[in-house]
C-alpha cells in the first residue's frame, strides 16, 4: 500500500485523549499539522485538537471513518488493542508499527526480545499457574517480583514475593493472569533513554535521565543523569539496537536499572539492565518541552510524519517534578517560583495518584 | 462588577483566529486553561481551541453568549472595534482594557499620549485635509511620511512624501482618511521591547530585540539587540511607564527607533524614539517560544488570568526569521537544519506577504 507523504496542513490521528495525546497534539500544531483524537472517553487532548471521535476501540465503523480522515495514526499508550492497531494499519500507516506494540505489551515477549538482542534484563521465568510460580521462586529466590504479562503500569499488576508470602494467594491477587516472576535487581539508580528513530533509520537520543519513583509513580527526573560517559553511551547504543530491531518509527523510552559494582581492582563499573520499553513518548522525557531545542513530542511527530528529526541539544541541566494528585493545588506558588516552567494537563479531578501536571526547571549551564 | 479569579480548568476568550490567537491558545493549554476563539472568519486558532464562535464583531447576541462562556477576554489584534470591546467589558474583564486599545488604535492619540509621558516620538502633525497636509509638509519637510490615523499595519496605510510628490493625490491615495504626517527619523536600528504588566503592577520585560523589516514586514529579529546597556535600560523604563499609564494588563510591544549620535566629544550616544505601541503579543517576541523560560504568549495568559508573571530569562542569544509567503515552501529543509526551531501556522495559502510561520535559532551561550 503506497501512501502519500505527510505535509503541513494534513491531519494525523492519535489514539488516546490523555496528557500525552494532548502534548502530542500541541507539538503537531507547532508544525502546522492538525490532529484528530480517537478515544472511548473524553480527555484533555480533545481541548487542543481540530477534531475528535469518542468511540470504542472495537467500533470498526468509527475506526474506518477515523482512518479515512488522517494521513498517519499514532497512539499515546501501549495498551492499544491488537485488533485496533491491525484494523487501522490495513488502511493507513500506524507508527510505531503493530509489531513494536505487540512486543512491548507483553513482559515475557519483551524480555525474550531483549535477551535475543544480547541486552541484559532482570532474570525472569514464565508463570502460568501456582506450580510454575513455586518452581520460579525456587529458582530466582526471595524477594522477587510477580508481574502480570500485560496491562501493568505505575506499579499496578505487580506484587513483591517475600519470605513467608503465600504463593497461591499472591498469584490469585493478580487475577491468576499469565505472569512472569522477576529476580530482584539491586540497582543504585533508575535511568531512561528517550530517543527517536525515523523511517530512514535515523536515530536521535535525548540525554540520559535519572528517575526517582514514589509509590511506583515517577516523581522526579534529572538530566543529564549522573553516570559515567561510557554508561550513557551504552544506554544510547542499547536503545538504538532496540529501535532498529523493532523497525521502530517514532519516540520510544527505555527504562533501565544502573547497577554499581566496585571490582576487586577498586574500579567503579556501571552495568545497565533494561527494565522495560515504552513504545511512546514518556514521562521521563517531559523535561524536553522546556529544556531541549526539540521536545520529545515534536520529535515523535517529526518521525511519524517523515520529517527530519530535530536537535536534542539541551539548554542546561534540568529537573522535572511531577504534580501527582493534590500536588497540583500548589499551582499558583509554583508559577511564582523564578524559572519554574509549569504545565497543567487540564484534568478535572485531582485524584490521588493521578498525574495532573509537571514542573521543569532549567538550571543555568 | 466583581469577578471570580481565573483558575486552571477555566475557559478564556480570544478575539481573532490568526497565528497570534493560535499561539495564545496553545500557551493557555500548557497552563490548563481552555480557550474559546471568537472571529468572523475561520482561522488557524480554531484548530487548537476547545471552542470557537464564528460571528461578526457587531453581533451582540453572539458576543453576549461568548462573554457568558468565558472568565476573561483578550484579543490578538489592535483593531478590535470599540463597540465590541466595550460591549464585552460590561460583562466580563477585558485585558488589555478598552482604553489601552483606543489609545493605540489611533496614531494621533498614541503620539500625544507618548509625548505627554515625556517619551520622544517622530515629530508629527494632524492632517485632516489637503490644506493641513501642505501646512504640515512645510513644517516637517520632505521626505516625510503620511499615515492614516487608524488601521495601518505592515506598511499598509502609509506613503512617503518626497520632493515633487503631489500632495492632493497622495492624500487621496489614502482614501482622504484622517492622517498624521510624520517627520523622518534617521535611525540606525529598529528595536522593540516586549513586556508584560500584571494587574498588581508587576512588570517583566524580555531582552531588547533588534528588528529588520523587508517591504515593511518584519523579516528578522535578533535578541539581545546590540545596544548600550543604558539604552536597553531606558527602553525597558519607557515601556514600563507606558504600561503603567495605560493601567495595562497583559503583554505589550513597543517599537522604537535607535538613533546613533556621536557628539563633539567623540562619545557615542544612543537616543530612543518610540514608533508605535502594539497592545498585544508581537511578532518580534516570537523568539521567546524557544529562547526564553517563559514565552510571550504564556506571559500574556499569566497576566490576564492574574497568575504570577514568569521568568524572562533567555537560553542564549537568538535569531528569529519570519517565513513570508512562499518562504514556507522550504519547510522540510528548515526542519533539517540543526538547531532550527520551526513553527508553521497552519494557514492554507502561501500568499505573498502573508506570515506563514517562523524559525528560531538559539545560539550557544
Amino acid at each position: 500500500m503506497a501512501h502519500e507523504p505527510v505535509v503541513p496542513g494534513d491531519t494525523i490521528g492519535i489514539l488516546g485523549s490523555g496528557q500525552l495525546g494532548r502534548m502530542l497534539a500541541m507539538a503537531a500544531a507547532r508544525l502546522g499539522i492538525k490532529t484528530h483524537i480517537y478515544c472511548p472517553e473524553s480527555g484533555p487532548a480533545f481541548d487542543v485538537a481540530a477534531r475528535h471521535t469518542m468511540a470504542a476501540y472495537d467500533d470498526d465503523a468509527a475506526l474506518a471513518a477515523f482512518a479515512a480522515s488522517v494521513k498517519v495514526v499514532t497512539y499515546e499508550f501501549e495498551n492499544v488493542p491488537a485488533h485496533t492497531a491491525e484494523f487501522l494499519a490495513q488502511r493507513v500507516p500506524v507508527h510505531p508499527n503493530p509489531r513494536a506494540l505487540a512486543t512491548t505489551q507483553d513482559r515475557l515477549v519483551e524480555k525474550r526480545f531483549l535477551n535475543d538482542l544480547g541486552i541484559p534484563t532482570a532474570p525472569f521465568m514464565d508463570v502460568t499457574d501456582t506450580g510454575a510460580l513455586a518452581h520460579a521462586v525456587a529458582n530466582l529466590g526471595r524477594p522477587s517480583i510477580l508481574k502480570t504479562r500485560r496491562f501493568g503500569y505505575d506499579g499496578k499488576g505487580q506484587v513483591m514475593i517475600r519470605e513467608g508470602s503465600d504463593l497461591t494467594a499472591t498469584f490469585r491477587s493478580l487475577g491468576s493472569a499469565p505472569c512472569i516472576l522477576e529476580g530482584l535487581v539491586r540497582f543504585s539508580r533508575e535511568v531512561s533513554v528517550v530517543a527517536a528513530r525515523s523511517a530512514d533509520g535515523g536515530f536521535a537520543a535525548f540525554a540520559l535521565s535519572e528517575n526517582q519513583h514514589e509509590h511506583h509513580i515517577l516523581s522526579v527526573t534529572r538530566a543529564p543523569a549522573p553516570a559515567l560517559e561510557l554508561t550513557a553511551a551504552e544506554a544510547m547504543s542499547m536503545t538504538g539496537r532496540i529501535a532498529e530491531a523493532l523497525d521502530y518509527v517514532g519516540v520510544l523510552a527505555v527504562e533501565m536499572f544502573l547497577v554499581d559494582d566496585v571490582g576487586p581492582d577498586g574500579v567503579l563499573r556501571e552495568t545497565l539492565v533494561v527494565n522495560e520499553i515504552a513504545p511512546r513518548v514518556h514521562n521521563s522525557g517531559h523535561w524536553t518541552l522546556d529544556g531541549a531545542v526539540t521536545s520529545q513530542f515534536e520529535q515523535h511527530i517529526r518521525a511519524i510524519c517523515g520529517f527530519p528529526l530535530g536537535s536534542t541539544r539541551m539548554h542546561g541541566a534540568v529537573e522535572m517534578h511531577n504534580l501527582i494528585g493534590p500536588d497540583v493545588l500548589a499551582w499558583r506558588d509554583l508559577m511564582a517560583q523564578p524559572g519554574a516552567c509549569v504545565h497543567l494537563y487540564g484534568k478535572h479531578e485531582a485524584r490521588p495518584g493521578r498525574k495532573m501536571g509537571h514542573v521543569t526547571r532549567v538550571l543555568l549551564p
Side-chain angles (χ1 to χ4, degrees), chain A residues 136-145 161 163 181-184:
Chain A
V137 170
N139 269 273
L140 299 177
R142 301 180 188 227
S144 51
I145 311 168
I161 293 184
E163 296 305 326
L181 186 73
E182 281 186 24
L184 204 70

Side-chain angles (χ1 to χ4, degrees), chain A residues 89-343:
Chain A
Q90 282 160 16
R91 287 157 179 82
V92 64
V94 173
H95 295 308
N97 64 62
R99 190 167 65 87
L101 206 48
T103 305
T104 56
Q105 277 178 348
D106 184 317
R107 292 185 194 279
L108 182 65
V109 176
E110 182 179 84
K111 282 197 161 51
R112 285 178 175 158
F113 161 78
L114 288 164
N115 291 172
D116 286 350
L117 285 176
I119 291 175
T121 61
F124 65 94
M125 291 183 78
D126 187 11
V127 172
T128 49
D129 54 31
T130 312
L133 177 57
H135 177 68
V137 170
N139 269 273
L140 299 177
R142 301 180 188 227
S144 51
I145 311 168
L146 186 67
K147 297 182 175 179
T148 56
R149 284 173 56 179
R150 292 171 165 275
F151 305 119
Y153 73 97
D154 286 354
K156 291 181 176 70
Q158 57 177 273
V159 57
M160 184 81 85
I161 293 184
R162 305 175 192 276
E163 296 305 326
S165 293
D166 178 325
L167 299 188
T168 307
T170 304
F171 187 59
R172 278 199 195 131
S173 76
L174 294 178
S176 301
C179 284
I180 60 167
L181 186 73
E182 281 186 24
L184 204 70
V185 177
R186 305 213 175 260
F187 58 85
S188 52
R189 287 194 284 289
E190 291 178 89
V191 296
S192 61
V193 175
V194 174
R197 185 174 178 272
S198 56
D200 61 6
F203 181 79
F206 293 100
L208 187 69
S209 298
E210 178 180 15
N211 304 312
Q212 282 176 17
H213 292 80
E214 273 179 34
H215 310 295
H216 295 284
I217 301 173
L218 181 65
S219 171
V220 185
T221 296
R222 291 185 182 85
L228 299 174
E229 207 170 315
L230 203 62
T231 307
E234 176 61 14
M236 302 303 151
S237 161
M238 283 180 181
T239 306
R241 280 148 62 202
I242 291 167
E244 189 73 28
L246 292 171
D247 195 20
Y248 199 91
V249 173
V251 163
L252 81 168
V254 181
E255 294 187 70
M256 305 176 187
F257 300 127
L258 200 155
V259 181
D260 277 339
D261 184 31
V262 181
D265 54 1
V267 174
L268 172 72
R269 287 184 183 76
E270 294 175 338
T271 310
L272 292 166
V273 172
V274 169
N275 180 29
E276 63 181 38
I277 306 166
R280 53 168 171 81
V281 290
H282 193 258
N283 199 163
S284 70
H286 285 7
W287 62 263
T288 59
L289 278 170
D290 301 297
V293 169
T294 311
S295 77
Q296 64 164 346
F297 303 99
E298 178 174 339
Q299 195 74 304
H300 185 74
I301 300 297
R302 285 175 174 244
I304 66 166
C305 290
F307 301 164
L309 296 182
S311 163
T312 57
R313 200 180 80 207
M314 300 180 78
H315 296 315
V318 298
E319 200 172 290
M320 188 283 311
H321 288 252
N322 267 342
L323 302 176
I324 309 286
D327 292 353
V328 75
L329 301 176
W331 61 270
R332 193 181 288 272
D333 290 341
L334 292 166
M335 281 189 197
Q337 288 180 10
C341 300
V342 179
H343 297 255

